[in-house]
Amino acid sequence: MRGVTRNEDGFAEFVQARLLPLTRFAYLICGDRNAAQDLVQTALTRTMLRWSKIDQGRAEAYVRTAIVNEQRMAWRRRWRGERPTLELPEVIGADAFARVDQLDALQRALAGLPVRQRAAVVLRYLDDMTEAQAAEVLQCSVGTVKSQTSRGLSRLRALLSDADAQEDEPIVRIAT
């Protein structure tokens, strides 16, 4: 086995520069901080093993694709139940609590989407990717990204309006 150099042609710099955005992306895909870190670690391990063969200009797309694929496999393997958390929000105050409630409602609504719809919505609107960039990450056509995003947004609106019906004021507004 070939020894790994201290800086395998820029891999360490890539990881250092993109670790937080990749972890944020993984968190939004899976909804769990620990699972997100595991997804990123697995994707980066796979990327490191193939680093010399990957086009450096497309390295982030490669890692994001690996994250999405790993999440798909994990989703198929495990029971999709509610997971308790030991962490409480660090914000205090009425406005801060309302914001936490809004974010919680949005995360729950995102968790209610199928994996491909969730990935398309997160890539397009939270990671601010173009349709073509999202298609590259998801390894599908631009038309598929458009349809998955459209269906995902429709479903999010429905889920959030159901949550709104239970509250006095709207939780989150999704642009039409």
Side-chain angles (χ1 to χ4, degrees):
M1 182 172 155
R2 182 180 105 178
V4 176
T5 63
R6 185 173 171 99
N7 181 9
E8 181 89 34
D9 297 327
F11 181 74
E13 285 85 10
F14 169 77
V15 171
Q16 187 174 13
R18 302 308 304 159
L19 183 61
L20 289 176
L22 290 169
T23 304
R24 177 178 162 260
F25 170 72
Y27 176 75
L28 292 169
I29 293 295
C30 70
D32 179 83
R33 181 174 292 152
N34 293 327
Q37 291 171 345
D38 290 344
L39 286 173
V40 171
Q41 181 177 354
T42 301
L44 288 173
T45 300
R46 290 181 181 173
T47 302
M48 183 186 70
L49 295 174
R50 297 187 44 86
W51 186 251
S52 63
K53 298 175 185 173
I54 296 172
D55 176 12
Q56 303 305 300
R58 300 181 60 203
E60 185 163 354
Y62 184 91
V63 176
R64 287 176 184 263
T65 300
I67 289 169
V68 169
N69 289 338
E70 183 62 29
Q71 175 60 19
R72 282 185 198 154
M73 289 187 297
W75 183 78
R76 289 179 185 139
R77 286 191 301 257
R78 72 172 184 259
W79 173 68
R80 287 184 56 200
E82 191 173 318
R83 290 185 286 291
T85 180
L86 296 175
E87 298 178 22
L88 296 174
E90 294 181 15
V91 290
I92 299 176
D95 292 338
F97 287 126
R99 181 73 177 145
V100 168
D101 289 341
Q102 290 174 345
L103 290 174
D104 181 58
L106 183 58
Q107 285 178 334
R108 287 176 189 258
L110 277 171
L113 298 178
V115 174
R116 286 189 66 120
Q117 288 178 11
R118 187 179 334 151
V121 169
V122 168
L123 288 170
R124 289 282 291 127
Y125 296 101
L126 298 173
D127 280 349
D128 201 27
M129 287 190 174
T130 65
E131 291 164 343
Q133 291 169 327
E136 184 178 336
V137 169
L138 295 174
Q139 295 179 330
C140 64
S141 70
V142 172
T144 300
V145 170
K146 289 179 181 180
S147 67
Q148 292 295 312
T149 302
S150 175
R151 290 180 187 135
L153 289 176
S154 294
R155 181 72 180 135
L156 275 176
R157 285 185 196 104
L159 291 169
L160 291 172
S161 68
D162 289 345
D164 277 351
Q166 297 171 4
E167 298 289 326
D168 293 333
E169 58 186 62
I171 295 177
V172 178
R173 297 252 186 245
I174 302 285
T176 56

